[in-house]
Amino acid sequence: MADIKNQKKKIKVFPERGNIYVTASFNNTVVTITDQSGNVLVAGSAGKSGFKGTRKATPFAATSAVEKAARVAREAGLREVAVFVKGPGPGRDAALRAIKASGLSMSMIAYMTPIPHNGVRPKKRRRV
C-alpha cells in the first residue's frame, strides 16, 4: 500500500500543435482537442462542466466548457490550434472567444456545419 502513495501522477505531454473541434447543438456544446493526426487529447462539454438541462445550451456554458478543456491542454504543452466549428447552437461564437482568451493561438478557423444540398423528398400533394 505504501507504494501507491509514493507514486507521482503521470502528466501527459501534448504536442505544440493540435486541433479543436467545437460541436454546438441547440442542447449542448461539445469540445474535443486532438493532435494533428486526430487522436483525442482532451474532451469536454457543457454537461461535463456542471450544467444541466436548458442551461447547457447557453453561451456561458460553452465558454466554461472550452476554458476547462483549453486549460488542461495548455498546461500540457499545446500552443497553436486549428479550430473546426460545427453546428448552429448558441455556444458557437462564445467558444471561439473562449479559445482566444485562453491563450492558445488560432492558426485557422473553419466552419464545417453540414448543409443539405437538396434536402429530403417533399411530402405528397394533399388530396381533398
Side-chain angles (χ1 to χ4, degrees):
M1 287 301 235
D3 294 338
I4 296 172
K5 288 183 179 178
N6 293 336
Q7 286 180 348
K8 288 188 177 180
K9 185 179 177 185
K10 285 187 179 178
I11 298 173
K12 201 174 188 181
V13 178
F14 295 169
E16 286 198 5
R17 296 179 57 133
N19 298 335
I20 295 183
Y21 295 90
V22 178
T23 306
S25 70
F26 289 116
N27 295 323
N28 202 353
T29 303
V30 179
V31 182
T32 309
I33 301 177
T34 67
D35 58 12
Q36 293 286 68
S37 58
N39 300 317
V40 176
L41 304 173
V42 182
S45 69
K48 190 177 176 183
S49 297
F51 294 92
K52 288 184 177 181
T54 55
R55 292 191 306 162
K56 284 195 301 187
T58 60
F60 179 71
T63 303
S64 63
V66 170
E67 281 174 354
K68 282 188 177 182
R71 187 181 315 117
V72 172
R74 239 182 95 68
E75 288 172 0
L78 196 69
R79 296 286 169 257
E80 186 178 345
V81 292
V83 183
F84 299 93
V85 183
K86 182 188 275 189
R92 182 175 60 180
D93 299 328
L96 287 175
R97 276 189 237 107
I99 293 168
K100 190 166 179 71
S102 70
L104 294 171
S105 67
M106 293 188 281
S107 61
M108 178 186 73
I109 300 172
Y111 290 98
M112 299 173 24
T113 305
I115 299 169
H117 292 288
N118 206 7
V120 297
R121 183 174 175 170
K123 290 176 72 174
K124 287 193 294 186
R125 194 174 142 262
R126 186 167 172 254
R127 293 191 296 256
V128 180

